[in-house]
Amino acid sequence: MRAARLTQALSSLVLEVFRLNGDLLTAGDALVGDLGLSSARWQVLGAVALSPVPLPVAHVARNMGLSRQAVQRVVNEMCADGLVRLDPNPHHRRAGLVALTERGQAAYATAMRRQARWATWVTDGLDPEDIEAAAHTLRALQQRLDSMAGHTEHAASDQIRVTEEAES
């Protein structure tokens, strides 16, 4: 009974997260489109801006949980638009360090000011404890998924298939 309830609860949560993700991307695009940003560009700018040290694209991607190729594409576009630049990397000649330009810093600062006002509007009337509990649950699920990824490539799905076969 508890297992079935947990399965249903997780399925419902995953569907809501997917819907929310789409809505957040749409809202983010609308919020920063006139700054030469999209949600994807804003996300990469944030990862670069919030890093305590300059990082190559591969490390930015790893920190974001995205593929290196996806982040490289966004970085290339933003380099062409003057939002970021690739500085020399003393540890790897071909993997430059991503840095914000003045234009990128200004765009990011404006985006964050807008995001703060937007967040105040979106959360009006909501209980902060509910939001904190939701964030806690999502972090716990993320940590479990990360720990599963640390095992062999298909260990979790293999275990699920074995359990399915045993139940039938």
Side-chain angles (χ1 to χ4, degrees), residues 22-34 37-40 42 111 118:
D23 290 345
L24 288 172
L25 292 173
T26 299
D29 289 347
L31 202 60
V32 297
D34 65 314
L37 300 177
S38 63
S39 291
W42 186 9
W118 176 84

Side-chain angles (χ1 to χ4, degrees), residues 6-20 133-135 137-139 141:
L6 280 171
T7 298
Q8 181 58 44
L10 179 61
S11 294
S12 294
L13 178 63
V14 167
L15 288 174
E16 291 302 326
V17 167
F18 287 163
R19 286 186 196 113
L20 179 60
T137 299
L138 292 174
R139 267 192 307 277
L141 289 169

